[in-house]
Amino acid sequence: MHNKFHFTFDNIKEQYSKAIDHDYKIITCKEYIECKNQGIPKLLINRVDIDFSVKKAERLGLIFNELGIKASFFIRLHAPEYNPFSFENYRIIKFLIESGHEIGYHSEIIDQSIIWNEDPEKCLLRDIDVINKMFGVKICGVASHGGMTGFNNLDFWKGKKASDFGLLYEAYDWFDKTFYISDSEWTRWKCYDNGKLIENDRRSLGEHVLDNHRIIYSLIHSDTYYKRHFYE
């Protein structure tokens, strides 16, 4: 099940257009928590992790605005690759918020607690407070980031609930209850059906839409997409 998919902005726009054409209601993570029991026939949960490039996230935001859909964008606070509070990145994130998109925290709680020798719960609460105050929002969710440290940030949530920290969700809460598709292997897609990896299925989001899954949970990364080539 291999296909050749070029990760251009034009192609990803086409994928979302196809989902719209096939009657998927495209929603944010927060909206999923709020409406998942309302019997909507087909849902596509639209999540974007900003691992390295806020600039490319703006391009995705413009595409979503053009299509009339919303997404949940998760930002890092401690990445060596970008500062969310730089002049340009702050402007872009405010643009996403003002466009009606959801902002969440791409958390690295275990990483920072071990590196800094600080309590992970205090790290999380402080980071949530920083985002809320800096951007004038009240975030509802976090999505654990998988970086290069070798630690698993999802381990923090063992025995804990998002509500313990004034949140509605951790973004992997429904991973095993949906059809999950992600571009997290950079140059190819992967997918899971109710938490089980479907081996060798590299079909794109638009191709999976044709299978009419009840709930598609889509995770893309702003860094993956380009206009002409990957290194632009």
Side-chain angles (χ1 to χ4, degrees):
M1 294 186 180
H2 178 76
N3 77 319
K4 186 71 172 178
F5 181 88
H6 296 285
F7 287 85
T8 64
F9 288 111
D10 285 343
N11 275 347
I12 195 62
K13 179 181 178 182
E14 184 179 330
Q15 305 297 298
Y16 285 100
S17 295
K18 187 173 292 186
I20 293 169
D21 290 343
H22 285 78
D23 299 322
Y24 275 90
K25 182 176 177 61
I26 299 176
I27 60 173
T28 65
C29 294
K30 179 178 182 287
E31 288 172 328
Y32 175 65
I33 294 297
E34 294 173 339
C35 79
K36 62 182 178 180
N37 294 318
Q38 293 181 8
I40 299 170
K42 291 193 295 187
L43 293 174
L44 193 158
I45 307 162
N46 190 17
R47 170 181 161 192
V48 180
D49 286 356
I50 308 176
D51 283 3
F52 304 118
S53 178
V54 178
K55 181 179 179 180
K56 288 189 174 185
E58 181 178 29
R59 181 66 184 271
L60 289 176
L62 289 168
I63 288 172
F64 297 151
N65 289 354
E66 185 177 344
L67 294 174
I69 60 177
K70 305 303 179 189
S72 297
F73 289 86
F74 292 88
I75 59 173
R76 298 169 70 188
L77 287 190
H78 311 293
E81 293 85 6
Y82 70 85
N83 171 11
F85 308 132
S86 71
F87 289 117
E88 186 64 2
N89 288 344
Y90 178 87
R91 180 196 67 77
I92 291 170
I93 293 168
K94 287 290 286 187
F95 158 74
L96 295 173
I97 293 169
E98 290 166 359
S99 295
H101 302 289
E102 179 188 8
I103 296 297
Y105 176 33
H106 204 19
S107 59
E108 300 171 89
I109 308 162
I110 297 295
D111 294 334
Q112 66 196 89
S113 69
I114 292 174
I115 291 169
W116 297 338
N117 193 30
E118 294 184 1
D119 178 76
E121 293 192 9
K122 291 181 179 178
C123 287
L124 175 59
L125 289 169
R126 181 178 61 209
D127 288 348
I128 292 170
D129 191 48
V130 166
I131 294 173
N132 287 345
K133 286 182 176 177
M134 195 68 184
F135 293 108
V137 297
K138 187 178 188 313
I139 65 169
C140 297
V142 302
S144 297
H145 175 67
M148 302 300 292
T149 63
F151 305 122
N152 186 348
N153 289 297
L154 265 174
D155 287 345
F156 172 82
W157 294 99
K158 293 178 179 177
K160 300 181 182 70
K161 302 187 299 295
S163 58
D164 297 336
F165 302 91
L167 301 167
L168 289 180
Y169 67 85
E170 201 293 327
Y172 288 97
D173 285 348
W174 53 86
F175 167 74
D176 59 353
K177 302 176 182 66
T178 57
F179 186 86
Y180 174 89
I181 178 169
S182 172
D183 63 7
S184 57
E185 292 191 359
W186 285 94
T187 58
R188 60 184 186 177
W189 299 90
K190 64 178 179 179
C191 59
Y192 295 76
D193 192 3
N194 293 319
K196 182 178 179 181
L197 177 66
I198 302 178
E199 298 285 352
N200 301 315
D201 190 340
R202 304 298 180 182
R203 288 179 295 161
S204 67
L205 172 61
E207 290 172 299
H208 283 294
V209 160
L210 301 179
D211 292 340
N212 290 311
H213 298 283
R214 164 75 176 86
I215 303 173
I216 293 178
Y217 184 13
S218 169
L219 166 60
I220 66 172
H221 297 76
S222 59
D223 331 290
T224 303
Y225 297 90
Y226 50 86
K227 183 177 180 181
R228 297 182 181 87
H229 61 83
F230 185 82
Y231 292 106
E232 63 190 18

